[in-house]
Amino acid sequence: MKKIAVMTSGGDAPGMNAGIRAVTRTALQKGLEVVGIYRGYQGMIEGDFIPLDRFRVSNIIQRGGTFLKTARSEEFRTVEGRAKAAAHLKKEGIEALVVIGGDGSFRGAAALHAEHGIQVVGCPGTIDNDLYGTDYTIGYDTAVNTAVQAIDQIRDTADSHNRLFFVEVMGRDAGFIALRTGLASGAESVLVPETTTYIDELITKLEEGRKLKKASAIIIVAEGDDEGGALDIAKKVNEKFDAWETKVTVLGHIQRGGSPTAFDRILASRMGNSAVEALLKGSTNVMIGQRNNEMVEVPFTQASKHHETLNPHLLELVEILS
Amino acid sequence: MKKIAVMTSGGDAPGMNAGIRAVTRTALQKGLEVVGIYRGYQGMIEGDFIPLDRFRVSNIIQRGGTFLKTARSEEFRTVEGRAKAAAHLKKEGIEALVVIGGDGSFRGAAALHAEHGIQVVGCPGTIDNDLYGTDYTIGYDTAVNTAVQAIDQIRDTADSHNRLFFVEVMGRDAGFIALRTGLASGAESVLVPETTTYIDELITKLEEGRKLKKASAIIIVAEGDDEGGALDIAKKVNEKFDAWETKVTVLGHIQRGGSPTAFDRILASRMGNSAVEALLKGSTNVMIGQRNNEMVEVPFTQASKHHETLNPHLLELVEILS
Amino acid sequence: MKKIAVMTSGGDAPGMNAGIRAVTRTALQKGLEVVGIYRGYQGMIEGDFIPLDRFRVSNIIQRGGTFLKTARSEEFRTVEGRAKAAAHLKKEGIEALVVIGGDGSFRGAAALHAEHGIQVVGCPGTIDNDLYGTDYTIGYDTAVNTAVQAIDQIRDTADSHNRLFFVEVMGRDAGFIALRTGLASGAESVLVPETTTYIDELITKLEEGRKLKKASAIIIVAEGDDEGGALDIAKKVNEKFDAWETKVTVLGHIQRGGSPTAFDRILASRMGNSAVEALLKGSTNVMIGQRNNEMVEVPFTQASKHHETLNPHLLELVEILS
Amino acid sequence: MKKIAVMTSGGDAPGMNAGIRAVTRTALQKGLEVVGIYRGYQGMIEGDFIPLDRFRVSNIIQRGGTFLKTARSEEFRTVEGRAKAAAHLKKEGIEALVVIGGDGSFRGAAALHAEHGIQVVGCPGTIDNDLYGTDYTIGYDTAVNTAVQAIDQIRDTADSHNRLFFVEVMGRDAGFIALRTGLASGAESVLVPETTTYIDELITKLEEGRKLKKASAIIIVAEGDDEGGALDIAKKVNEKFDAWETKVTVLGHIQRGGSPTAFDRILASRMGNSAVEALLKGSTNVMIGQRNNEMVEVPFTQASKHHETLNPHLLELVEILS
């Protein structure tokens, strides 16, 4: 192998730049050439490439987002689109690819391998932490810390008043961010898609808190909760519970950005390094995962999205500690 | 004068604790006793007081919120309520009062003086910066920095996609927070209550940006804009402009909390110090303001809320630099 | 069991408050009474206790330091001192104790159990991460993030000049903080006590970087490195390498403070919860550890300080990626 | 005028990028071409230029440091060096220059004007805030906030022990950073070059604090204090006062980096905008200053470094409030 490419795909996540840096510098150290592909599969189809040397990836480990950018590509979902993409890779002499992204990105990589023989390895880059085969995904720790810091600021003011705060965090299908955010911020409740939300139970809990003379309550809502987002749930609660003034915060894309935490930088650095090593020993169609603090290779077929597997003990812990 | 009280009132603001600390320590240094009143005027009516010594205000200068808490008091709006409050003050031997809050709080203080002869001095504590007579209010600089940091995180991800972000900041009647936030975060537009918002003009600007190949745009919306909050405006824009994916963030009470900036701590420290000095030289019914870096006394009658006075040059500067 | 106590001991670490909160609220939920002991073993000897209810531990999860404070106690190292301490516990009806601290603190707890039959469980609270039996200690993740953020700021300016920065991080006997800090901040080298530092090799590396036209270099130094602290090493390097202006930063106690990261809050919450559960099922003389994301009980005899076990692959990774 | 250049010079300061952005976009909006000069006067001598369009200055407002970099230039101090530099400017058709830097940089600009007729306007970019003619310099507010946040973290741990902390902040000749840092962080004392430091007085103060049962003390030391840096002073104090454990932190270049505060971004944006407007109306040899919230032009001859003008009331306030 002489030349590999690296790209980021899907929703961006803090730590992706650290992953690109690790792929690049490991590859260079192994005597490989490295090419960066801009804007994911769409850039691959358009041949939007940039040669990466050690300087091009200097001073990016601390940056949020991804300097290679990401994009959606409908065209890559077609056989023709992938053929165009593969032609660009072959013209450039690129034999193997590291994709930093989610399970949809891995499926694209698998198709590229099946149809065009490109060797492909993935790194899990998504703030949602909802992939089988890895304990953590790149960006998750940062997203949780961002949400927690926001809630800390709300807590400063919550103490001063009789107030009920609903804070919406990311998670269309999964409550991982909501759960860890709730646990770390000492929230009163965490509402997630994986479990049924009962508005009446929530109100009962709030009433009990009020009788215990709690000054305020903070409820974390995953955007994809079965009873709706924070605005919806606040409205439903207010219809029956209006003892406290209600305030809503929707964190939105704040959670996707920000300088990655040390955890995410190290995770991405290790994964990027292992991805190149995996390519060199001939692996393909695998995602690099971290399990029990070790780097492992997980077949793409197993690295799919998973839901409904929130640690029930942690959900319970939110209630015990609130 | 032997004994004074200090309280915080109205919406809480970062830096209020620094103000309480400055009042307390200045008063102690001048040989006065100091009492803290919990929960603003409501706590005054209930006699919810705490003696303050130098240790009680240790290690609070960096804390958001206010450890004396605030509360609304309908009762204090009545002559009877104020009589109850004054009786508590007199029973405790409290001759003078420092109120950290907004213009509503100052009107309460004026009534207390008129009806019961309590000497009163105010410090402007509100994140909205909408008081005549002072260049800055306590909490404003922190609130702006909080919003700017949130938008920095959105910017990380904005660069990666074709996206349109609407970020709602505080400001029911005033666009001060929105204006400085927009200027400091390099936003494309700032929508404020003080000027008429034209959705069509905004769309035209977005279209122009798109033609210039801008990757994304961030629009700052003061919650009290004449066309509605960020969610409303996003909806109106989307009806005619859907070239970019649209995302909404509502910062909400995040902006009220957080450790105060150096600027707000110093402002609050100077104001708290000057408030006690003003009391000692016999001043009453004045707010301490900062004008041109100097502490000044501003009669309550002039320290009212003001709107429609946003610096037009700064509004224009947002457009020039975007 | 009806009544337990909780205390923090040794050097303080971010997340200790989250641990105290978790111990308290878990115990209350299980129907136990809880007492906090101020200032560690010295406070135990002096009977400096405070009853803890759910409100006393409100709004502390996000605070650095420990509200129960810590202190050194020479007296507790004596049989007489421990007898005094035990007498206070018994007088209060305290049957069991959770100690959040390091291995020295656990040895004290073991003595208390051996001599006076107090049931004792520990939680690893130290920023140094140098205890066998747990993958992470409470405070480590925060300390690393604090150091990394400081170095990010240096990096902003490093890029502008030909400069050589030495940054000293904590670690008298262990390089864990230095290693993860170096990896996450993209440092050129990490100097740790566990491996021999060769000044000449370092200079050779710097010369090579200079020839490669690197703009600057950042070297992380654990305070206990065999060649001295950052100031010593900077001096030794400068004697032979003066091509770049040299600057030294000593982070010092900045690393002990700060709001704990989500990781440390969750770790401390889970450990505090498990500590009470361990007491309830009769365990004693064990530390709660986290291994492979699970809570485990580790006998005090195994939970000793360890050194010279830095992951060699991670040390190598710093070099590969720099 | 058709074409101008912008550069950063001297020690870098947070907000310089915001200044470059404002110069560039204002100039473009006025129909001018803009060139960036890398590495200050040295880059000017070498003709190291880059054309700036609106995209080149996108997404930099939030970045610390300066993307144009700075450098020292001995050669520019010579008539020959300046002739080379001017030749490059003239070859490129550059008629006017905006320099963001300190008074040394302005003297260089003045020489360029005197000898070669280049129109020159300066913006005060230095964290030290030690220039006559402006209330604030670009970078000062950020540097103070950085130092204050570091000390907040020390304070978390200070509360737990009997400890004496010395924190060294920047300021070789001026105590501005130390003063505002001390005031905002609630330090016990601030030691600055502008006033004589008496070690014995400091010890007396510490002894008094200890008798008052203060838990700890934090002393801010400007690096250029007449009694030495933090390490020197700690040593001198320890010879006579050893009741508390003493710890030293040297913040160093942390203070030069970091994302600029809202204040610094707005200041730099306004100054950069005004600098271009000043050029367009024919001004030369002036620095843009902010006085009483207004932009003003200050002749270079007046914009020199100043010392010994620390606000004595603020120094006194540190003592009153500590």
Side-chain angles (χ1 to χ4, degrees):
Chain A
M1 194 181 303
K2 289 189 180 159
K3 201 176 199 175
I4 68 168
V6 60
M7 60 181 259
T8 49
S9 176
D12 57 356
M16 281 182 160
N17 281 325
I20 298 166
R21 172 180 178 271
V23 168
T24 303
R25 292 202 171 160
T26 302
L28 294 173
Q29 197 243 11
K30 303 285 189 187
L32 301 172
E33 283 180 80
V34 193
V35 166
I37 301 173
Y38 279 115
R39 294 178 300 118
Y41 290 118
Q42 190 57 37
M44 193 188 283
I45 287 173
E46 299 173 14
D48 195 1
F49 298 169
I50 180 177
L52 297 178
D53 62 16
R54 53 173 305 107
F55 291 105
R56 195 61 200 75
V57 296
S58 278
N59 210 13
I60 65 169
I61 194 171
Q62 78 278 24
R63 299 254 187 266
T66 155
F67 88 92
L68 289 178
K69 309 198 175 190
T70 71
R72 297 238 176 96
S73 176
E74 286 306 314
E75 195 178 351
F76 193 78
R77 291 167 187 270
T78 66
V79 172
E80 296 74 22
R82 291 192 293 269
K84 269 197 224 174
H88 278 297
L89 294 180
K90 289 183 176 173
K91 195 179 137 200
E92 287 286 325
I94 295 164
E95 297 159 76
L97 175 69
V98 177
V99 181
I100 308 173
D103 65 343
S105 309
F106 300 158
R107 279 193 298 274
L112 205 59
H113 179 260
E115 297 165 10
H116 303 284
I118 308 291
Q119 200 185 336
V120 290
V121 169
C123 294
T126 160
I127 62 170
D128 290 321
N129 205 39
D130 56 353
L131 287 174
Y132 279 114
T134 189
D135 295 337
Y136 295 102
T137 56
I138 297 166
Y140 177 54
D141 187 62
T142 305
V144 169
N145 275 287
T146 297
V148 166
Q149 283 166 25
I151 295 164
D152 284 354
Q153 298 201 277
I154 291 174
R155 194 166 281 286
D156 281 339
T157 181
D159 248 37
S160 309
H161 305 88
N162 291 330
R163 287 215 171 137
L164 173 57
F165 294 90
F166 291 89
V167 182
E168 182 178 305
V169 298
M170 285 203 161
R172 227 169 282 179
D173 317 295
F176 292 97
I177 292 176
L179 174 55
R180 277 182 83 91
T181 298
L183 203 48
S185 61
E188 268 62 30
S189 276
V190 171
L191 309 183
V192 292
E194 288 89 343
T195 62
T196 309
T197 295
Y198 298 102
I199 300 289
D200 286 344
E201 274 186 16
L202 178 58
I203 291 172
T204 304
K205 183 160 191 207
L206 292 171
E207 286 290 2
E208 280 167 9
R210 202 167 69 97
K211 280 174 199 151
L212 281 170
K213 302 226 179 262
K214 279 195 181 190
S216 62
I218 298 176
I219 314 295
I220 311 301
V221 182
E223 64 180 322
D225 186 69
D226 49 300
E227 284 287 345
L231 286 158
D232 304 311
I233 292 179
K235 208 174 154 194
K236 291 176 188 177
V237 168
N238 273 342
E239 283 166 12
K240 300 185 185 169
F241 177 86
D242 61 359
W244 287 345
E245 206 178 336
T246 299
K247 302 285 176 184
V248 175
T249 288
V250 177
L251 290 179
H253 270 59
I254 293 173
Q255 297 158 88
R256 283 208 179 280
S259 182
T261 58
F263 188 98
D264 275 330
R265 297 184 197 187
I266 293 170
L267 183 69
S269 295
R270 292 182 71 184
M271 285 179 164
N273 174 258
S274 293
V276 175
E277 289 181 348
L279 285 178
L280 281 170
K281 70 181 195 200
S283 298
T284 189
N285 292 51
V286 296
M287 174 189 86
I288 304 300
Q290 173 171 307
R291 274 210 296 246
N292 299 338
N293 300 315
E294 297 297 328
M295 294 291 114
V296 295
E297 297 184 14
V298 183
F300 279 162
T301 49
Q302 290 168 29
S304 56
K305 263 204 184 183
H306 68 95
H307 305 130
E308 301 173 33
T309 58
L310 284 186
N311 185 331
H313 179 61
L314 294 186
L315 268 175
E316 196 194 352
L317 199 53
V318 172
E319 302 290 323
I320 292 172
L321 301 186
S322 80
Chain B
M1 192 181 308
K2 287 187 181 160
K3 201 178 199 171
I4 68 168
V6 59
M7 61 182 257
T8 49
S9 176
D12 56 356
M16 282 184 160
N17 281 324
I20 297 167
R21 172 180 177 269
V23 168
T24 303
R25 293 202 170 160
T26 302
L28 293 173
Q29 199 242 12
K30 304 285 189 189
L32 301 173
E33 281 181 83
V34 193
V35 167
I37 301 174
Y38 279 115
R39 295 178 297 120
Y41 290 118
Q42 189 58 33
M44 192 188 282
I45 288 173
E46 299 173 16
D48 194 1
F49 298 169
I50 180 176
L52 296 178
D53 62 17
R54 54 173 300 107
F55 290 104
R56 194 60 199 79
V57 297
S58 278
N59 209 13
I60 64 168
I61 194 172
Q62 80 276 28
R63 300 251 188 266
T66 156
F67 88 93
L68 289 178
K69 308 196 176 193
T70 71
R72 299 240 175 93
S73 177
E74 286 306 313
E75 196 177 351
F76 192 78
R77 291 166 187 271
T78 65
V79 172
E80 296 75 20
R82 291 192 293 268
K84 270 198 224 174
H88 278 296
L89 294 180
K90 288 182 176 171
K91 194 177 138 204
E92 287 287 326
I94 295 164
E95 298 159 75
L97 175 69
V98 177
V99 180
I100 308 173
D103 65 342
S105 309
F106 300 159
R107 280 193 297 275
L112 204 60
H113 178 261
E115 297 166 12
H116 303 283
I118 308 291
Q119 199 184 336
V120 289
V121 169
C123 295
T126 161
I127 61 170
D128 290 321
N129 206 38
D130 56 352
L131 288 174
Y132 279 114
T134 188
D135 295 336
Y136 295 102
T137 56
I138 297 166
Y140 176 54
D141 186 62
T142 306
V144 170
N145 274 287
T146 298
V148 166
Q149 283 166 24
I151 295 164
D152 283 354
Q153 298 202 275
I154 291 174
R155 193 166 283 285
D156 280 340
T157 182
D159 247 37
S160 308
H161 306 86
N162 291 328
R163 287 217 169 131
L164 173 57
F165 293 89
F166 291 90
V167 182
E168 182 179 307
V169 299
M170 285 202 161
R172 225 169 285 178
D173 317 296
F176 292 98
I177 291 177
L179 174 55
R180 276 181 83 90
T181 297
L183 204 48
S185 61
E188 267 64 29
S189 277
V190 172
L191 309 183
V192 293
E194 287 88 346
T195 62
T196 309
T197 295
Y198 299 101
I199 300 289
D200 286 343
E201 274 185 16
L202 178 58
I203 291 172
T204 303
K205 181 158 193 211
L206 291 171
E207 286 290 3
E208 280 166 8
R210 202 168 68 97
K211 280 174 200 151
L212 281 171
K213 302 227 178 260
K214 281 197 179 191
S216 62
I218 297 176
I219 314 296
I220 311 301
V221 182
E223 63 181 323
D225 186 69
D226 48 302
E227 284 288 344
L231 286 158
D232 303 313
I233 291 180
K235 209 174 150 192
K236 291 177 189 176
V237 168
N238 272 341
E239 283 166 13
K240 300 185 186 169
F241 178 85
D242 60 358
W244 288 346
E245 207 177 336
T246 300
K247 303 284 176 185
V248 175
T249 288
V250 178
L251 289 179
H253 270 59
I254 294 174
Q255 296 158 88
R256 283 208 178 282
S259 182
T261 57
F263 187 98
D264 275 330
R265 297 184 196 187
I266 293 170
L267 184 69
S269 296
R270 293 182 71 184
M271 285 178 164
N273 174 259
S274 292
V276 174
E277 289 181 348
L279 286 178
L280 282 170
K281 68 180 198 204
S283 297
T284 190
N285 293 47
V286 295
M287 174 189 84
I288 304 299
Q290 173 173 308
R291 275 211 295 246
N292 299 339
N293 301 314
E294 297 297 327
M295 295 292 113
V296 295
E297 297 184 13
V298 183
F300 280 161
T301 49
Q302 291 167 27
S304 56
K305 261 202 186 186
H306 67 96
H307 305 131
E308 300 173 34
T309 57
L310 284 187
N311 185 331
H313 179 61
L314 293 187
L315 268 175
E316 194 193 354
L317 199 53
V318 171
E319 303 289 323
I320 293 172
L321 301 186
S322 79
Chain C
M1 192 181 305
K2 288 189 183 158
K3 202 176 198 173
I4 68 168
V6 58
M7 61 181 259
T8 49
S9 176
D12 56 357
M16 282 183 160
N17 281 325
I20 297 166
R21 173 181 177 268
V23 167
T24 302
R25 293 204 170 158
T26 302
L28 293 173
Q29 198 244 11
K30 304 284 188 187
L32 301 172
E33 282 181 81
V34 193
V35 166
I37 302 174
Y38 280 115
R39 294 178 298 118
Y41 290 118
Q42 190 58 35
M44 193 187 282
I45 288 174
E46 300 173 15
D48 194 0
F49 298 168
I50 179 175
L52 296 178
D53 62 17
R54 53 172 305 107
F55 291 105
R56 196 59 200 77
V57 297
S58 278
N59 210 11
I60 64 169
I61 194 171
Q62 79 277 28
R63 299 251 189 267
T66 156
F67 88 93
L68 290 178
K69 308 198 176 188
T70 71
R72 297 239 176 96
S73 176
E74 285 306 313
E75 195 177 354
F76 192 79
R77 292 167 185 269
T78 65
V79 172
E80 296 74 22
R82 291 192 293 269
K84 270 199 224 175
H88 279 295
L89 294 181
K90 289 182 174 171
K91 194 176 140 203
E92 287 286 325
I94 295 165
E95 297 159 75
L97 174 69
V98 177
V99 180
I100 307 173
D103 66 341
S105 308
F106 300 158
R107 280 193 296 275
L112 204 60
H113 178 260
E115 297 166 11
H116 303 282
I118 308 290
Q119 200 186 334
V120 290
V121 169
C123 293
T126 160
I127 61 170
D128 290 320
N129 206 39
D130 56 352
L131 287 174
Y132 279 115
T134 189
D135 295 337
Y136 295 102
T137 56
I138 297 167
Y140 177 54
D141 187 63
T142 306
V144 170
N145 274 287
T146 298
V148 167
Q149 283 165 24
I151 295 164
D152 284 353
Q153 299 202 275
I154 291 174
R155 193 165 285 285
D156 281 338
T157 182
D159 247 39
S160 310
H161 306 88
N162 290 329
R163 285 212 173 140
L164 174 57
F165 293 90
F166 291 89
V167 182
E168 182 178 306
V169 299
M170 285 203 161
R172 225 169 284 180
D173 318 296
F176 291 97
I177 291 177
L179 173 55
R180 278 182 82 90
T181 297
L183 204 47
S185 61
E188 268 63 31
S189 277
V190 171
L191 309 182
V192 292
E194 288 88 344
T195 61
T196 309
T197 295
Y198 299 101
I199 299 290
D200 286 343
E201 275 185 17
L202 178 58
I203 291 172
T204 303
K205 184 161 189 206
L206 292 171
E207 286 290 3
E208 281 167 8
R210 200 168 70 97
K211 280 174 199 153
L212 281 170
K213 303 232 179 256
K214 281 195 180 192
S216 61
I218 297 177
I219 314 295
I220 312 299
V221 183
E223 64 181 320
D225 186 71
D226 49 301
E227 284 286 345
L231 287 158
D232 304 312
I233 292 179
K235 207 173 154 193
K236 290 176 188 176
V237 168
N238 273 342
E239 283 166 12
K240 298 184 185 168
F241 178 85
D242 61 359
W244 288 345
E245 207 177 337
T246 299
K247 301 285 176 182
V248 175
T249 288
V250 178
L251 289 178
H253 270 60
I254 293 173
Q255 298 158 88
R256 282 208 179 282
S259 182
T261 58
F263 187 99
D264 275 331
R265 297 184 197 187
I266 293 170
L267 184 70
S269 295
R270 293 182 72 183
M271 286 179 163
N273 174 260
S274 292
V276 174
E277 288 181 348
L279 286 178
L280 282 170
K281 67 180 199 202
S283 297
T284 190
N285 291 51
V286 294
M287 173 188 87
I288 303 298
Q290 173 172 304
R291 274 211 295 246
N292 300 337
N293 300 314
E294 298 296 327
M295 295 292 113
V296 295
E297 296 186 12
V298 183
F300 279 162
T301 49
Q302 291 168 28
S304 56
K305 261 203 186 185
H306 67 97
H307 305 130
E308 300 175 32
T309 58
L310 283 187
N311 185 331
H313 180 62
L314 293 186
L315 268 175
E316 195 194 352
L317 200 53
V318 171
E319 302 290 323
I320 292 172
L321 301 186
S322 79
Chain D
M1 193 181 305
K2 288 188 182 160
K3 202 176 197 175
I4 68 168
V6 59
M7 61 181 258
T8 49
S9 174
D12 56 357
M16 281 183 160
N17 281 324
I20 297 166
R21 173 182 177 269
V23 168
T24 302
R25 293 204 170 157
T26 301
L28 293 174
Q29 199 243 11
K30 304 283 189 189
L32 301 173
E33 282 181 81
V34 192
V35 167
I37 301 173
Y38 280 115
R39 293 178 301 119
Y41 289 119
Q42 189 58 35
M44 193 187 284
I45 288 174
E46 300 173 14
D48 195 359
F49 297 169
I50 180 176
L52 296 178
D53 61 18
R54 53 175 301 106
F55 291 104
R56 195 61 200 76
V57 297
S58 278
N59 209 13
I60 64 168
I61 194 171
Q62 79 276 28
R63 301 250 186 267
T66 156
F67 88 94
L68 290 178
K69 308 194 176 194
T70 71
R72 297 238 176 93
S73 177
E74 285 306 314
E75 196 177 351
F76 192 79
R77 291 167 187 269
T78 66
V79 172
E80 296 74 20
R82 290 192 294 268
K84 269 197 223 176
H88 279 295
L89 294 181
K90 289 182 175 172
K91 194 178 137 203
E92 287 286 324
I94 296 164
E95 297 159 76
L97 175 70
V98 177
V99 180
I100 307 173
D103 65 343
S105 309
F106 301 158
R107 279 193 296 274
L112 204 60
H113 178 261
E115 298 166 11
H116 302 284
I118 309 289
Q119 199 184 336
V120 290
V121 169
C123 293
T126 159
I127 62 170
D128 290 322
N129 206 39
D130 56 352
L131 287 174
Y132 278 115
T134 188
D135 295 337
Y136 295 102
T137 56
I138 297 167
Y140 177 53
D141 187 61
T142 306
V144 169
N145 274 287
T146 297
V148 167
Q149 283 165 25
I151 295 164
D152 284 353
Q153 299 202 276
I154 291 173
R155 193 165 284 285
D156 280 338
T157 183
D159 247 38
S160 308
H161 306 88
N162 291 330
R163 286 212 171 139
L164 173 57
F165 293 90
F166 290 90
V167 182
E168 181 177 308
V169 298
M170 284 203 160
R172 224 168 284 179
D173 318 294
F176 291 96
I177 291 177
L179 173 55
R180 276 183 84 88
T181 297
L183 203 47
S185 61
E188 268 65 29
S189 275
V190 171
L191 309 182
V192 292
E194 288 88 344
T195 62
T196 308
T197 295
Y198 299 101
I199 300 290
D200 286 343
E201 274 186 16
L202 178 59
I203 291 172
T204 303
K205 183 161 190 207
L206 291 171
E207 286 289 4
E208 280 167 8
R210 201 167 70 96
K211 280 174 200 150
L212 281 170
K213 303 228 178 262
K214 280 197 181 191
S216 61
I218 297 176
I219 314 296
I220 311 300
V221 182
E223 64 181 320
D225 186 70
D226 49 301
E227 283 288 343
L231 286 158
D232 303 313
I233 292 179
K235 208 174 153 194
K236 290 177 187 174
V237 168
N238 272 342
E239 283 166 12
K240 298 183 186 171
F241 178 85
D242 61 359
W244 287 345
E245 206 177 336
T246 299
K247 302 285 176 184
V248 175
T249 288
V250 178
L251 288 179
H253 270 59
I254 293 174
Q255 297 157 91
R256 283 209 178 280
S259 181
T261 59
F263 187 98
D264 275 330
R265 297 184 197 186
I266 293 170
L267 183 70
S269 295
R270 294 181 72 183
M271 285 177 164
N273 175 259
S274 293
V276 175
E277 289 181 348
L279 286 178
L280 281 171
K281 68 181 199 202
S283 296
T284 189
N285 293 47
V286 294
M287 174 188 84
I288 304 298
Q290 174 173 303
R291 274 210 295 246
N292 299 338
N293 302 313
E294 297 297 327
M295 294 293 113
V296 296
E297 296 184 14
V298 183
F300 280 162
T301 49
Q302 290 168 28
S304 56
K305 263 202 183 186
H306 67 96
H307 304 131
E308 301 175 30
T309 57
L310 285 187
N311 185 330
H313 180 61
L314 294 186
L315 268 176
E316 194 194 353
L317 199 53
V318 171
E319 303 289 324
I320 293 172
L321 301 186
S322 77

